[in-house]
Amino acid sequence: MTKNYDVKDLNLAEQGRKRIDWAEKEMPVLRRLRERFEQERPLTGLRLSACLHVTAETANLARTLAAGGADVVLCASNPLSTQDDVAAALVAYDEIPVYAIKGEDNQTYYQHLGAALDHSPHITMDDGADLVTAVLKQRPELIENLIGSTEETTTGVIRLKAMAVDGVLKFPVIAVNDSDTKHLFDNRYGTGQSTLDGIIRATNVLLAGKTFVVGGYGWCARGIANRARGLGANVIVTEVDPVKALEAAMDGFRVMQMAEAAPLADFVCTATGDIKVLDAHHFDVMKNGAIIANSGHFNVEINIPALEAMSVEKRQPRPFVDQYVLKDGRQINLLGEGRLINLASAEGHPSAVMDMSFANQALASEYLRKHQGKLANGVHALPKEVDREIASLKLHAMGIEIDELTAEQAKYLSSWEEGT
Ligand SMILES: NC(=O)c1ccc[n+]([C@@H]2O[C@H](COP(=O)([O-])OP(=O)(O)OC[C@H]3O[C@@H](n4cnc5c(N)ncnc54)[C@H](O)[C@@H]3O)[C@@H](O)[C@H]2O)c1
């Protein structure tokens, strides 16, 4: 790549800057961190390659890391999630090299990853572990300089733990997703709202009175199920974990196998991190006109090759809607090519929730720097104090005050003598 960026159109930069500034207003915790980073410059001298969804919120993270002294480059963590105006603004106004174009093909996606790694990073930041995978498989010479990595999402953490088990993870990684102030809020409230937003923007179909099937009842799927119910849909949950299934049932959802739910569904949305949650035998029994989408990390939750093979025609009635016509004439509408629908057809999570996720990312980079050479190879969580600090800052920004333990209460809660 000859130039040190690859974005769709630099003329979009002004619009992108407005979008970034708009998001920043909802990100008070990250703003506080940025002010501290400007003073303390904790990341001075570090090259940092980030592979994240290139959104306005990520731009605010990139600015924060740069304010801390890091030399940042950014590539996309999904071919469909880039906001082209934001990518242009980061290049034009913040001089942060970005390699990301919405709709890029797989080959370009991996070229962009390679360009981010050409930066010879001291820290990599991932959303799905593609960058770390590329380091291990194609660029092992980079490991020598790596202080460590950070990982944003559940699927990435699962992949990293599998690398650790296989003994190939030769540096420490901070599982940002495992912070309470990340998955409890981002995965649940962020994915909940933005997934429904994506489905509605792509289709403009009324949800009230419809049957909406959610694949999974983990953090993301809980959010989706609850928001779909809030819009008046009849929600069915499918699960493989008996505890989660029980929780869904006691939360008031119908719970059944996907084979039973599929023929009832007006909508199916998966968010499991698993493969083929919706498969050929489900397409076989689905209603004409059913709408299917995914909000899990990879586009493997819906078996798209099987759907292609079963179809005689594929149309695009609206952007982000692929209408597959099956041999018997039924139509199944796949949204956003089965990729994270909240980022494909909407704008990803609202800024207020990414405020906490990205505060964790910024603090994770600082933590890696401070503990350079002291962390064992493998996957680590951030200390609980970081969660408490982020939650306190967020509450403060929301104007919420909470009680403090009195000395007597603190003593009581750490003692065992007093009983009935
Ligand atoms: N769309 C987004 O912006 C976004 C945000 C955060 C996480 N994610 C991704 O969403 C996915 C889920 O993340 P999470 O944090 O909710 O994970 P989680 O581990 O909390 O939940 C996943 C759930 O799916 C269930 N499951 C697995 N296989 C299943 C199957 N075949 N059928 C039904 N249920 C099944 C599991 O039992 C579990 O309860 C991951 O891929 C994650 O990376 C997406």
Side-chain angles (χ1 to χ4, degrees), residues 167-382:
V168 295
L169 194 59
K170 303 286 184 207
F171 42 87
V173 185
I174 306 293
V176 165
N177 184 71
D178 291 359
S179 296
D180 286 344
T181 46
K182 201 283 182 179
H183 63 263
L184 276 169
F185 301 92
D186 170 316
N187 300 26
R188 182 164 40 167
Y189 302 112
T191 311
Q193 176 168 321
S194 59
T195 297
L196 271 297
D197 183 18
I199 291 172
I200 292 167
R201 286 200 212 190
T203 61
N204 196 27
V205 167
L206 184 73
L207 273 100
K210 301 281 173 52
T211 298
F212 193 110
V213 176
V214 182
Y217 202 63
W219 291 110
C220 293
R222 276 187 197 121
I224 297 167
N226 277 291
R227 292 300 174 256
R229 174 157 68 184
L231 285 164
N234 244 299
V235 178
I236 297 173
V237 169
T238 73
E239 251 297 345
V240 291
D241 178 328
V243 177
K244 301 273 179 60
L246 189 60
E247 187 185 358
M250 294 216 183
D251 283 346
F253 296 106
R254 280 189 289 165
V255 179
M256 59 185 82
Q257 293 177 330
M258 185 61 93
E260 205 187 329
L264 308 175
D266 298 300
F267 297 85
V268 180
C269 183
T270 52
T272 68
D274 197 1
I275 57 165
K276 298 184 184 173
V277 178
L278 203 57
D279 209 344
H281 60 287
H282 303 126
F283 305 139
D284 262 340
V285 294
M286 289 184 88
K287 282 186 200 171
N288 181 29
I291 292 170
I292 61 177
N294 167 50
S295 214
H297 189 76
F298 286 121
N299 61 340
V300 294
E301 304 212 11
I302 299 172
N303 188 348
I304 301 171
L307 185 57
E308 298 263 356
M310 292 165 73
S311 302
V312 289
E313 198 185 337
K314 179 178 166 186
R315 310 174 185 139
Q316 193 169 53
R318 292 169 62 96
F320 305 109
V321 182
D322 287 326
Q323 188 170 75
Y324 289 89
V325 183
L326 306 189
K327 293 182 183 105
D328 61 8
R330 277 177 307 125
Q331 297 167 358
I332 294 182
N333 298 296
L334 171 69
L335 306 189
E337 300 169 20
R339 299 190 189 277
L340 309 136
I341 192 58
N342 59 331
L343 284 139
S345 61
E347 295 173 61
H349 296 352
S351 318
V353 88
M354 293 315 292
D355 188 25
M356 292 189 283
S357 308
F358 285 163
N360 274 289
Q361 283 285 11
L363 291 173
S365 321
E366 186 182 36
Y367 184 81
L368 279 173
R369 180 41 150 341
K370 276 191 183 154
H371 295 83
Q372 183 171 352
K374 294 182 200 137
L375 296 172
N377 296 342
V379 182
H380 301 260
L382 278 174

Side-chain angles (χ1 to χ4, degrees), residues 17 20-25 27-43 56-69 90 93-94 96 355 358-359 362-363 366 389 393:
R17 182 165 63 172
I20 297 168
D21 291 346
W22 176 261
E24 193 200 19
K25 291 190 215 318
M27 304 182 85
V29 179
L30 198 62
R31 225 168 35 235
R32 281 274 292 263
L33 277 178
R34 184 161 144 202
E35 284 157 17
R36 176 165 76 73
F37 275 21
E38 271 163 6
Q39 299 293 318
E40 298 176 6
R41 307 277 289 171
L43 308 177
E57 292 74 27
T58 303
N60 278 296
L61 170 63
R63 284 176 170 183
T64 304
L65 299 166
L90 279 174
Y93 296 114
D94 298 283
I96 292 177
D355 188 25
F358 285 163
L363 291 173
E366 186 182 36
E389 183 192 340
L393 288 171

